[in-house]
Amino acid sequence: PDENLTSTVRSLADGKISRLTLMLRAKDEGEPRAWKRFDSNAELKVWYAHKPGVPTSVGAIPGTGNKAQCRSSSDPLTVTVDTPTVQARVQTKVEAHEGDEEGSLQAEFVMQRSSTDTNSGSWSQVWSDYKPDSGWDPDGTLEKTTTDKRADGGLYRFRARTQSHWAYNGRSGDLFSPYSSWCYLRIDSTAPKVPVIVPGAPYTECTANDCAAHGGPGKPGTFTFKPNTADKDVKAYRWRLLTSDADATKRVTAPTTNASVQVKDVKPGLPGAQTLSVEASDLKLDKEGRVRWGPPAELAFKVAAAPGPTGRWRFDDGGPGSGLTVAKDTGEVGSRHDLVLRDEAGTGWSTLARRGAGDYSLRLNDNLSDP
């Protein structure tokens, strides 16, 4: 009674509660005159500012495509253009109504450069930007922006945060989320370009209008890696499945310089959409003494679901005295093989199932001499 909604709505905006239902009622619903002081269409309105959440999908686009990645300091993303494109998806901290566009949001980007172009140098800010340039976008909007010209060979890092704007009753203000994690990139125009991935059996590349499922979890696929037509000295490739944490990066050496390589052990661990990422290398060392790798090529393909069980018996077909003597096979693959209960051998139905009353199970006589 006499609820002060401020603290309750603040808990919703802070994500402490996931749902808020409010009811408007008279002080005394048993008193006919209690509603006299309200209009016939009385409403309860709550105004609150959307608290911003840390943006998602933060990353840099390595070349002229549209697929972004965020890499750690131990493995910076190689970018072959000197005006890299970065992105972030703005978010509200809590989505009060799933599917609705909520909030008045911007993405703020900041970029720093290492003084020595290695991880051991000091960092100083060299660029920042907001998107959209003017106005605001709702949560879930993917914001992209291109930096100004950056130095070739430089090591950079960037991050993003969400800004939430509010205005009410002649007042306005802004709220900011925490920053995302740093994403590291190195600009190297001389690095190998994006290689070519050619899928082989059983998987096929997803297109805008066709993404047929093939193979299955654990079933290996064959893919061929080819150098970009602009490259002349590719000597190795490395690849990994982005959609499976279990797949570490694997490396394969080309038989001769700028030759193609066929890999037959790309083994997805899960059904559904998968993304194969491949990078090429000339085996030269970067400024930190590590083998440099070019920007990644990515190929999307779909893995079919694992086949269903060849046989499954639930043993809940009937209860004691039902007269049923058959346990149905509910498997999904191959022929069905129903089981017949031998009443003379002491088998039957029992109510002692794990879910209690109304659940049935199979009763066995463990004194049988002939199992």
Side-chain angles (χ1 to χ4, degrees):
D2 299 324
E3 168 76 15
N4 183 342
L5 293 178
T6 302
S7 60
T8 306
V9 175
R10 181 178 290 118
S11 295
L12 174 69
D14 287 341
K16 296 178 181 178
I17 56 177
S18 60
R19 179 177 297 179
L20 176 61
T21 302
L22 303 175
M23 178 178 65
L24 184 64
R25 57 179 293 172
K27 180 70 174 179
D28 182 359
E29 289 289 336
E31 169 56 57
R33 293 172 295 178
W35 277 92
K36 292 293 186 181
R37 61 194 182 99
F38 293 104
D39 291 334
S40 58
N41 59 343
E43 294 180 315
L44 174 62
K45 291 185 177 181
V46 177
W47 297 88
Y48 69 96
H50 289 85
K51 196 165 186 178
V54 178
T56 58
S57 304
V58 180
I61 296 174
T64 58
N66 53 19
K67 295 179 180 179
Q69 287 191 18
C70 180
R71 296 278 188 88
S72 66
S73 59
S74 62
D75 185 24
L77 179 70
T78 299
V79 176
T80 57
V81 296
D82 57 9
T83 54
T85 297
V86 295
Q87 69 174 39
R89 192 179 301 276
V90 292
Q91 303 287 348
T92 53
K93 187 172 183 179
V94 177
E95 187 178 11
H97 301 91
E98 186 174 354
D100 289 354
E101 295 183 338
E102 299 175 327
S104 298
L105 310 177
Q106 277 186 335
E108 179 196 13
F109 298 90
V110 293
M111 176 174 281
Q112 297 180 346
R113 180 180 175 177
S114 170
S115 60
T116 62
D117 291 336
T118 67
N119 284 324
S120 61
S122 60
W123 296 90
S124 58
Q125 184 165 317
V126 294
W127 173 82
S128 65
D129 195 12
Y130 281 88
K131 283 294 176 180
D133 295 321
S134 62
W136 311 92
D137 285 330
D139 64 324
T141 303
L142 184 63
E143 307 288 1
K144 294 184 178 182
T145 184
T146 300
T147 72
D148 52 15
K149 188 178 179 62
R150 301 285 97 212
D152 198 1
L155 180 64
Y156 298 87
R157 66 182 185 181
F158 71 95
R159 59 184 180 177
R161 65 177 177 175
T162 301
Q163 177 183 356
S164 177
H165 182 74
W166 62 269
Y168 174 70
N169 199 25
R171 301 170 57 194
S172 63
D174 296 281
L175 303 172
F176 292 88
S177 76
Y179 278 104
S180 65
S181 300
W182 287 108
C183 298
Y184 291 77
L185 62 91
R186 183 182 299 281
I187 297 177
D188 189 349
S189 62
T190 66
K193 305 301 185 287
V194 175
V196 177
I197 308 174
V198 180
Y203 302 109
T204 58
E205 183 176 9
C206 288
T207 64
N209 301 316
D210 183 22
C211 194
H214 301 284
K219 187 169 183 178
T222 298
F223 293 84
T224 300
F225 308 152
K226 297 182 177 182
N228 192 293
T229 55
D231 288 328
K232 303 299 180 185
D233 55 356
V234 170
K235 297 179 180 179
Y237 302 89
R238 67 176 181 179
W239 63 270
R240 64 190 177 113
L241 289 171
L242 300 180
T243 38
S244 177
D245 293 337
D247 289 274
T249 301
K250 299 180 182 180
R251 176 171 163 174
V252 58
T253 302
T256 58
T257 300
N258 237 40
S260 301
V261 170
Q262 188 179 77
V263 176
K264 299 181 179 181
D265 60 343
V266 179
K267 189 181 297 184
L270 297 171
Q274 302 286 330
T275 301
L276 176 63
S277 176
V278 181
E279 299 162 321
S281 175
D282 54 12
L283 298 186
K284 295 179 181 178
L285 303 182
D286 63 17
K287 294 184 178 181
E288 295 183 273
R290 297 177 300 202
V291 172
R292 69 173 186 174
W293 296 91
E298 294 181 0
L299 184 141
F301 62 99
K302 191 173 184 180
V303 181
T310 57
R312 177 185 288 169
W313 298 266
R314 300 182 183 276
F315 298 117
D316 60 355
D317 303 74
S322 64
L324 293 175
T325 60
V326 176
K328 289 289 187 179
D329 178 3
T330 60
E332 300 173 5
V333 177
S335 303
R336 305 279 59 79
H337 301 87
D338 298 337
L339 301 182
V340 179
L341 278 61
R342 295 175 55 192
D343 185 61
E344 70 276 11
T347 62
W349 306 109
S350 170
T351 58
L352 300 178
R354 64 181 178 87
R355 290 180 293 186
D359 193 15
Y360 302 124
S361 62
L362 180 66
R363 170 178 56 79
L364 298 174
N365 184 344
D366 56 6
N367 293 320
L368 291 176
S369 58
D370 181 12

